[in-house]
Amino acid sequence: KQAAAQCALTPDRTSMRVFHAPDPRSVLWENINFPFSMQDTAKFGMKVVWIVGILFWAIPVSVVNSLANLNSILQALNIKTVDSSKPWYGFLSGLLPVIALALLLDALYALIVLTAKRVLKLKSLSDVDAYATYWYQLYQFANLWLIVIGGSIFNQFQSFLNDPQSIVTTIANAMIGSSVFFVNMTLTQSIGKCALDISQLQKFVIALLMRLWRSESTITQRQMDRAKIPETYQWGYEIPQILFILMIVVLYCPIVPIMEVFGLIYFAGRYITYKHQFLHVNAQTFEGGGNATWLSIFVFIISIIYMAEAVFIAYMGLKQSPASAAFAFVPLVVTFVFHLDLRYKTITYLQNLPLQRAAAIDVKEGECSDFNRLIYLQPSLNTCLDEQFHVVDSNTRGPDAVF
């Protein structure tokens, strides 16, 4: 397989694209005939659209944040305001923006997946997962900083250009003020998300409404069998949400230490939920070979660590603690060295792992008993490849034996 993937089938390296075949169960057969040249053009166009969308993402985020002021909404609707000192008012003011943001992000994820399938015409569900993971995570990053800073990016850029020294102060002060929102989000994800995943309440309500709308006699056997198929986890949807909570916890550790407790509750709940769902409920219908997970998660986690250390250094500097700020550069340097070491010693080797596995299998199965690594080189780079396959063995097959 690896040798086939490295074969030079044409002198023009841009005329044909060779890649490992995906899991047949994940292939989107309706997109197979879509040319790669048109797909590349569509990817570039959608990249521009998503980047512009990130720049203007502050508009819907600001609308979501405005839900925290219920009395302002009631006044805009000409409805009598309520007493803001009541406990239920504070509960709703903290919960409504979190729920609205979650619904907004769900709509965004559905749009990204629809774009990957219908506009970009990606060839497999694993490619769709990888594409959704990347862009959905970038919007999650934008969510955090837009919620922290507030306002549109262009307004913030203008204020930063007028006073560059205000960047650190603005971000540090804003992070403290936004901590309540992120605490509510973490708790809502910890309790609400885990409870919904285990109880499957939303599916039960949908099934109940369908039964009330349609009589049982009109449901076909195929529809009943389809309802029994286990659900597949959408990693492009699940992973960015987990990394978003991780980013919140890591960034707020030095500023709001109690955030670590809420993070512990969240990840403990997600561990119990995933363990139960994967063992008893869900089943993956296809395997993506880590295309949507390993490389993307590694890049995003390293980015989160860098951001957290930069925020910590800035926060210590604002506290007028030069010794602490200087000492904070130590973990930043250690992270950078570890990143480089992992990149050159692990990721590079993982890219060649299929080649090593293919060679080991061939040796084990006896297909290449006299193992020669030149056989696995790209044919266009191996000028002596023909000589490797023409071996004289006069004792068994004669002087003209070829194998």
Side-chain angles (χ1 to χ4, degrees), residues 37 46 75 94 97 103 138 178 211 243 288 294 301 308 315 344 373:
S37 58
M46 289 309 305
Q75 290 178 357
L103 295 176
L138 288 183
S178 303
R211 288 297 180 92
L243 293 182
W294 161 240
I301 288 179
Y315 190 72
Y344 289 107
R373 293 184 180 273

Side-chain angles (χ1 to χ4, degrees), residues 83-316:
D83 186 6
S84 59
S85 62
K86 293 183 178 181
W88 64 266
Y89 181 90
F91 177 77
L92 287 180
S93 298
L95 190 61
L96 282 179
V98 174
I99 296 177
L101 182 61
L103 295 176
L104 179 64
L105 290 174
D106 287 350
L108 174 66
Y109 173 76
L111 180 62
I112 294 175
V113 172
L114 183 64
T115 301
K117 291 182 179 180
R118 304 302 180 189
V119 179
L120 304 182
K121 300 287 186 178
L122 298 183
K123 311 297 183 181
S124 66
L125 292 175
S126 58
D127 292 338
V128 173
D129 257 355
Y131 185 82
T133 301
Y134 178 78
W135 285 108
Y136 193 44
Q137 187 64 65
L138 288 183
Y139 272 83
Q140 294 279 15
F141 279 15
N143 275 335
L144 184 138
W145 294 112
L146 290 175
I147 292 172
V148 167
I149 299 175
S152 68
I153 289 182
F154 296 109
N155 293 336
Q156 296 299 330
F157 279 165
Q158 186 62 36
S159 63
F160 292 157
L161 290 175
N162 295 334
D163 186 11
Q165 296 180 354
S166 66
I167 296 177
V168 178
T169 306
T170 301
I171 293 177
N173 294 332
M175 288 190 68
I176 298 176
S178 303
S179 60
V180 176
F181 177 84
F182 292 120
V183 167
N184 293 333
M185 174 177 288
T186 305
L187 286 178
T188 303
Q189 291 280 348
S190 304
I191 300 173
K193 181 70 174 175
C194 295
L196 288 176
D197 283 351
I198 293 180
S199 65
Q200 300 288 297
L201 180 61
Q202 67 276 25
K203 293 186 178 180
F204 174 77
V205 172
I206 294 175
L208 181 62
L209 293 177
M210 292 297 293
R211 288 297 180 92
L212 294 176
W213 178 56
R214 299 177 58 184
S215 62
E216 188 174 352
S217 59
T218 60
I219 301 177
T220 64
Q221 184 64 37
R222 180 177 296 177
Q223 291 173 333
M224 290 189 292
D225 294 340
R226 189 181 301 161
K228 299 177 182 178
I229 299 176
E231 182 184 2
T232 299
Y233 256 93
Q234 304 294 330
W235 294 114
Y237 176 76
E238 298 288 338
I239 291 175
Q241 292 187 1
I242 297 174
L243 293 182
F244 181 64
I245 300 298
L246 176 65
M247 179 170 56
I248 292 173
V249 174
V250 173
L251 286 177
Y252 274 93
C253 276
I255 303 174
V256 186
I258 197 174
M259 189 68 75
E260 299 178 21
V261 178
F262 299 120
L264 176 63
I265 295 173
Y266 172 81
F267 286 106
R270 296 310 292 167
Y271 171 77
I272 296 173
T273 302
Y274 283 134
K275 182 178 179 180
H276 176 270
Q277 297 300 99
F278 291 150
L279 289 177
H280 306 291
V281 179
N282 298 100
Q284 294 301 113
T285 57
F286 67 91
E287 296 294 337
N291 187 32
T293 54
W294 161 240
L295 290 179
S296 296
I297 290 178
F298 172 75
V299 173
F300 287 128
I301 288 179
I302 288 293
S303 301
I304 290 172
I305 296 175
Y306 282 138
M307 284 190 293
E309 291 169 346
V311 168
F312 179 68
I313 294 172
Y315 190 72
M316 289 297 102

Side-chain angles (χ1 to χ4, degrees), residues 310-368:
V311 168
F312 179 68
I313 294 172
Y315 190 72
M316 289 297 102
L318 290 178
K319 288 293 184 179
Q320 296 182 353
S321 177
S324 301
F327 184 76
F329 278 96
V330 175
L332 181 62
V333 174
V334 172
T335 303
F336 180 73
V337 173
F338 173 75
H339 183 195
L340 292 180
D341 182 75
L342 196 63
R343 180 178 179 181
Y344 289 107
K345 291 186 178 180
T346 302
I347 297 179
T348 304
Y349 288 138
L350 285 177
Q351 295 174 350
N352 296 326
L353 185 59
L355 172 62
Q356 299 170 3
R357 293 285 297 172
I361 291 174
D362 285 347
V363 173
K364 181 178 180 181
E365 295 180 354
E367 297 181 7
C368 188

